[in-house]
Amino acid sequence: MERLGLDEYFIEIARVVSKRATCPRLSVGAVLVRDKTLISTGYNGSPRGLPHCSDVGCRVYKDHCVRAVHAEMNAVAQAAYNGVQTRDSTLYITHFPCQNCLKLLVNAGVRRIVYDKAYEHKDASHEEANAITQEFIQQSQLEVRRLGAL
């Protein structure tokens, strides 16, 4: 049996974390790592103590569930809740982050993102948004790597 590399190891953990997601629209898992150590996890689900989509249904506005908090936001929030520093960390995530999450990750000091799957938009009107996202990644000097399925 071949030993997994660190990126493969942590993305596999993110896949397991995604199985805790409570929004049926998309199961996303995120793992924050610093110095080869897992510091926080997150999955898409409702804010702490509030009803989950899986219990009461999704609240959809403009084709997005607004009840659920994104996995990467939950990972950063969990780190903050527990007093864990996210500066110079790597985020491993099952799906590429949205623009708002990318901005949050930059402000949280995340330096590297490793993801498994592209986030598929339902229409072509997002081409401009995708171009803006790529420009933002370059300007913020985030290191981004797509890791294919194992």
Side-chain angles (χ1 to χ4, degrees):
M1 184 159 126
E2 188 174 323
R3 184 175 187 208
L4 290 177
L6 286 174
D7 285 348
E8 292 80 10
Y9 171 70
F10 287 118
I11 203 77
E12 192 64 31
I13 293 172
R15 289 182 187 127
V16 172
V17 170
S18 76
K19 295 177 182 191
R20 290 281 303 154
T22 61
C23 182
R25 294 172 57 85
L26 189 63
S27 294
V28 180
V31 175
L32 273 172
V33 173
R34 190 180 63 246
D35 298 327
K36 301 179 186 178
T37 301
L38 191 150
I39 59 171
S40 183
T41 66
Y43 51 85
N44 55 324
S46 295
R48 189 182 306 270
L50 298 182
H52 290 286
C53 299
S54 55
D55 297 328
V56 296
C58 292
R59 180 68 132 183
V60 178
Y61 177 72
K62 292 188 179 183
D63 199 39
H64 286 68
C65 179
V66 295
R67 183 181 311 279
V69 178
H70 290 189
E72 49 272 64
M73 289 181 181
N74 272 327
V76 170
Q78 183 187 71
Y81 186 82
N82 291 307
V84 177
Q85 187 179 127
T86 57
R87 185 182 311 132
D88 297 326
S89 62
T90 296
L91 177 82
Y92 293 89
I93 188 157
T94 56
H95 294 75
F96 187 81
C98 71
Q99 287 181 354
N100 284 329
C101 287
L102 281 170
K103 291 183 276 188
L104 172 78
L105 295 168
V106 167
N107 279 353
V110 173
R111 296 288 171 239
R112 186 168 178 257
I113 297 171
V114 178
Y115 70 101
D116 186 14
K117 299 174 186 168
Y119 181 78
E120 300 296 331
H121 294 290
K122 295 185 179 187
D123 58 54
S125 67
H126 291 286
E127 287 181 27
E128 184 178 0
N130 290 335
I132 292 168
T133 297
Q134 291 307 313
E135 181 181 330
F136 175 77
I137 289 169
Q138 290 173 348
Q139 291 173 344
S140 64
Q141 298 180 354
L142 276 170
E143 180 186 336
V144 178
R145 177 179 181 213
R146 181 170 187 183
L147 193 66
L150 297 175

